[in-house]
Amino acid sequence: MRLLPNAKVRKVALGIGAVLALVAANGPAATGFAERAWHHYTINQEAYKARYGHWDVVDVPERFRVNAIHAALLRTGKVLLIAGSGNDEKNFRAGTFRSVLWDPVRNTFRQIPTPKDMFCAGHAQLPDGRLLVAGGTARYEKLTGDVRRAGGAMLVKNENPDAPRTFPAGTVFVGSSGKRYRSQLPVLVPRAKKTVTEGDNGDEGAKGDAGGAKKKVTVTAAQARVYVEALTEGEEGITHTADQYRIQGLTGRAAHDLYGLAAKLGLDKKDFQGLKDAYEFDPIAERYVPVDPMSEARWYPTLVTLKDGRVLTVSGLDDMGEIIPGKNEIYDPATRSWSAGPQRYFPTYPALFLTGGGRLFYSGSNAGYGPADQGRTPGLWDVESNAFEPVPGLAEQDMTETSASVLLPPAQDRKVMILGGGGVGESHRSSKRTAIADLSVPAPRYTRGPDLPRPTRYLNAVLTPDDRVFTTGGSGDYRGKRGSDILRAQFYDPRKRAFRTAAEPTVGRDYHSEALLLPDGRIAVFGSNPLFADKEGTRMGTFEQRIEVYTPPYLYRDRRPALRTGPLEAVRGEPLTLTGTDRREVAAVRLMRPSAVTHATDVEQRSVALAFGATRGGAVTVDIPQDPSLVPAGWYMIFLVDRAGTPSRAAWVHVR
């Protein structure tokens, strides 16, 4: 630990003393200035940093400042910040979608062409190191009073069993009264279903075959939904009754077989609509690569890795702006295609963690959309059988929205912690409750953990290599209302079941903020989207584009373990040799999966304890666990940790 030279200490102290001497003569203003000067002096002392850590604001050139809605650490060590339209409807209408790639080692930035509005998408790390990004925004919400054109869902029917039909965005549907509506998205309508059964001479539609037997042919119309809006503005476009709509431009048999059906089309509130699009981000080429779209459009979905390396996508708002009623899908990286998953309803952005036997644990954490009485019970979900085992014991279960959840370190302990949260929707309520679910016992249940210092929602929680959880930011009210951003940080120690205070951040963080562990052991924090800029709620808030990096106390020690930074290749169930390492410096080895985080939801991060031993050449050999539900295939950071809890720089290892 490096202390200030004595002469410099005396000089700074005398300067502070002189400032304090002015306080009596200059009143409260001088008092405030002196307090700030003393605080700045204190937090920059080496002894303070060694105990509490230190925050630094990153110098980001103006052209690279972005509304970071999503943050993902790539296997190159760079961080992908995804804004899409950045919760700015002007950008959405202009088709201005942004992503920025940040190199925290060189502090360099690069704009990444962004093909779709990935604002409020989902993401997951793939086995080959690519990042899967699925869903996003197809339409911004419109509140009652702001809606100019009547609209709603229309079913498009197809009675032709011989061919499907695709209608582009802009297709016009004309009702019996002459009112016209235009589709906002393309829609694929499958071919009708034709069934042939044994009939008799009296059956209508029965036909004879070559042998004279009669067959009955039944055609069942296929259908697909699409969102439509009236061509005319105002109340003239409203339809209060169900109607059948012809499709403009179709003639003959096609006009008979293809048509629309809709009930009320009104001027009521319109929620955000999701996208079906999906992409893989290639960290080497540094570009998005399109893959097959999902069958359901999704806005606010969770993507979670399964034990076989496939990815399950869950929940979200669909292309009507309605929450998806349990239609989940699975992405296969080998074929880059989607298939139907198990049916189960969750609110948007549910926190799902891969755990023992390949089951998923739903902690109860979620974000933003869904009724208060559906899909909020924590439990273990068997994806293969679709069985769901509730996990009881969670206090304040009505306060899990905008809460944080983490798989506590080490992952072998199979304990999940939930922290804070708030009431459903735009509730002012927030909670300081934490709870821990022990999933290793025959009858898992939640038990109360230590309270947070203050009731907090939008808390960011990051695993550190020394088996702690770093938590920072958040607010006490919905989107930081009433000036409720919390400038506090703390470490949770699972062994002691207690929090320890850390240095205070200088930037407030609430809705749309993220935090993640960097390969050098620091923690980076991004984003924040407060509703208002003042306590009174008279000025609209602006998106926080500053990046703040926290250096933990363990990086203010004399030395850290040596580790060659790779990249390395490893196989589950087999040993891995780490050369250039002194066994005497190592007390623990941790395998840590890189984060992909948004809306206080990070189901990717996990820290796995590795057994280790020495080799003749002085290297360290570690054992990679064979269990794919503990270590799903992919790229990981490997940290060596000494007896003081000081981590090495990470080496990247590809686990197959």
Side-chain angles (χ1 to χ4, degrees):
M1 177 173 63
R2 184 178 61 84
L3 296 175
L4 287 170
N6 289 336
K8 187 172 183 180
V9 171
R10 287 195 297 271
K11 183 176 181 181
V12 172
L14 288 171
I16 296 295
V19 170
L20 292 174
L22 297 174
V23 169
N26 292 278
T31 301
F33 173 78
E35 289 175 346
R36 291 192 296 272
W38 181 254
H39 176 72
H40 179 76
Y41 167 76
T42 301
I43 65 174
N44 284 287
Q45 299 309 297
E46 294 298 311
Y48 181 93
K49 295 177 185 179
R51 183 172 182 181
Y52 298 107
H54 187 73
W55 291 89
D56 294 284
V57 175
V58 175
D59 181 19
V60 182
E62 186 173 358
R63 68 183 183 277
F64 295 116
R65 295 172 191 170
V66 66
N67 294 359
I69 308 295
H70 310 266
L73 178 64
L74 307 176
R75 72 174 183 89
T76 57
K78 298 179 182 180
V79 178
L80 180 65
L81 301 175
I82 305 174
S85 58
N87 202 17
D88 187 331
E89 193 170 3
K90 291 180 182 178
N91 290 337
F92 178 79
R93 291 197 298 266
T96 303
F97 310 135
R98 297 186 66 198
S99 301
V100 167
L101 197 61
W102 173 46
D103 184 337
V105 175
R106 298 177 177 85
N107 197 37
T108 57
F109 299 83
R110 182 187 172 203
Q111 295 275 8
I112 302 296
T114 307
K116 289 284 185 174
D117 191 3
M118 297 173 180
F119 167 56
C120 294
H123 28 55
Q125 304 280 0
L126 295 176
D128 66 356
R130 296 188 181 210
L131 180 76
L132 175 65
V133 183
T137 303
R139 181 195 67 187
Y140 269 65
E141 69 177 352
K142 296 289 185 184
L143 302 178
T144 302
D146 294 333
V147 179
R148 298 289 177 259
R149 299 176 188 271
M154 180 170 288
L155 289 177
V156 185
K157 295 277 191 174
N158 183 6
E159 294 186 359
N160 183 351
D162 298 323
R165 186 67 178 258
T166 298
F167 293 99
T171 298
V172 174
F173 297 82
V174 184
S176 59
S177 64
K179 293 183 179 181
R180 297 188 299 167
Y181 299 84
R182 178 181 290 115
S183 63
Q184 303 302 297
L185 295 167
V187 58
L188 169 62
V189 192
R191 61 170 58 90
K193 182 179 180 181
K194 180 169 67 175
T195 56
V196 180
T197 58
E198 295 293 337
D200 56 44
N201 292 337
D203 283 339
E204 183 179 350
K207 299 181 180 180
D209 59 17
K214 298 294 184 179
K215 302 289 185 182
K216 181 179 180 180
V217 179
T218 303
V219 175
T220 304
Q223 65 184 34
R225 289 196 313 170
V226 67
Y227 186 82
V228 298
E229 286 187 351
L231 269 64
T232 58
E233 292 189 358
E235 295 184 358
E236 292 182 4
I238 295 176
T239 297
H240 291 287
T241 58
D243 197 4
Q244 180 168 319
Y245 294 79
R246 64 179 176 85
I247 301 175
Q248 186 171 290
L250 296 186
T251 59
R253 179 62 185 271
H256 175 270
D257 289 342
L258 295 148
Y259 53 90
L261 293 175
K264 178 184 176 180
L265 299 171
L267 290 168
D268 48 327
K269 177 182 181 293
K270 315 295 182 187
D271 266 320
F272 283 92
Q273 291 177 340
L275 288 174
K276 296 182 179 181
D277 301 75
Y279 294 84
E280 290 182 0
F281 186 80
D282 186 331
I284 304 303
E286 297 184 345
R287 65 186 182 95
Y288 290 104
V289 178
V291 297
D292 282 356
M294 298 176 288
S295 64
E296 295 287 332
R298 298 181 189 271
W299 187 84
Y300 266 50
T302 290
L303 273 62
V304 57
T305 301
L306 302 176
K307 66 178 183 179
D308 60 5
R310 296 181 301 160
V311 176
L312 176 68
T313 181
V314 172
S315 192
L317 300 188
D318 64 13
D319 50 6
M320 300 294 122
E322 300 174 357
I323 193 164
I324 297 169
K327 296 180 181 178
N328 307 309
E329 302 176 61
I330 295 177
Y331 180 76
D332 187 343
T335 61
R336 295 186 176 179
S337 62
W338 300 85
S339 60
Q343 294 265 332
R344 186 156 296 278
Y345 177 91
F346 293 97
T348 55
Y349 279 137
L352 296 163
F353 296 91
L354 179 65
T355 185
R359 291 193 294 177
L360 300 178
F361 176 63
Y362 170 48
S363 70
S365 291
N366 59 89
Y369 291 82
D373 59 349
Q374 291 187 47
R376 297 182 183 269
T377 300
L380 283 161
W381 182 24
D382 188 320
V383 174
E384 295 180 2
S385 67
N386 202 21
F388 189 86
E389 176 190 349
V391 172
L394 179 61
E396 300 179 62
Q397 194 167 302
D398 61 338
M399 300 280 279
T400 59
E401 194 164 286
T402 66
S403 60
S405 291
V406 290
L407 178 62
L408 289 175
Q412 285 95 332
D413 289 352
R414 295 176 56 196
K415 293 181 179 179
V416 174
M417 186 176 194
I418 185 170
L419 306 97
V424 174
E426 299 184 16
S427 169
H428 291 297
R429 300 167 62 222
S430 57
S431 174
K432 60 182 179 180
R433 174 265 296 118
T434 76
I436 299 165
D438 186 348
L439 308 177
S440 66
V441 297
R445 66 178 294 108
Y446 268 110
T447 57
R448 188 92 185 203
D451 284 349
L452 294 168
R454 291 176 55 183
T456 310
R457 53 198 305 168
Y458 315 109
L459 185 71
N460 277 291
V462 179
L463 304 181
T464 56
D466 60 349
D467 283 353
R468 297 184 184 185
V469 181
F470 177 72
T471 68
T472 183
S475 65
D477 200 345
Y478 175 76
R479 288 186 64 179
K481 279 184 176 181
R482 300 187 287 191
S484 62
D485 279 358
I486 299 171
L487 293 174
R488 295 192 65 157
Q490 48 275 320
F491 285 95
Y492 174 72
D493 188 333
R495 291 163 295 186
K496 298 179 180 179
R497 292 178 64 90
F499 285 101
R500 179 180 176 181
T501 301
E504 297 175 351
T506 62
V507 180
R509 308 284 180 177
D510 50 67
Y511 182 56
H512 286 152
S513 64
E514 309 85 40
L516 52 77
L517 178 71
L518 297 173
D520 62 7
R522 296 180 300 159
I523 295 164
V525 187
F526 317 90
S528 189
N529 198 177
L531 196 58
F532 297 111
D534 59 348
K535 291 183 179 180
E536 294 74 24
T538 61
R539 294 182 290 115
M540 295 304 297
T542 56
F543 204 106
E544 178 56 68
Q545 295 185 329
R546 285 176 292 177
I547 299 173
E548 196 168 20
V549 174
Y550 176 70
T551 303
Y554 56 55
L555 294 182
Y556 289 99
R557 296 169 186 155
D558 290 337
R559 57 176 297 159
R560 59 197 305 185
L563 175 64
R564 293 183 181 176
T565 56
L568 306 168
E569 293 287 334
V571 177
R572 283 194 302 256
E574 297 184 10
L576 171 68
T577 299
L578 306 175
T579 59
T581 298
D582 186 345
R583 167 65 181 85
R584 294 170 296 179
E585 293 184 340
V586 181
V589 183
R590 294 295 179 261
L591 188 70
M592 302 189 74
R593 193 169 175 90
S595 288
V597 57
T598 186
H599 291 74
T601 305
D602 185 355
V603 300
E604 285 292 292
Q605 64 171 340
R606 62 177 51 213
S607 178
V608 180
L610 301 185
F612 63 96
T615 65
R616 289 183 179 178
V620 170
T621 298
V622 298
D623 296 324
I624 306 297
Q626 192 167 11
D627 183 0
S629 63
L630 178 64
V631 186
W635 283 85
Y636 290 78
M637 295 178 285
I638 192 166
F639 289 92
L640 306 181
V641 185
D642 67 15
R643 288 177 177 81
T646 307
S648 66
R649 295 180 182 274
W652 284 97
V653 55
H654 188 201
V655 178
R656 301 178 185 272

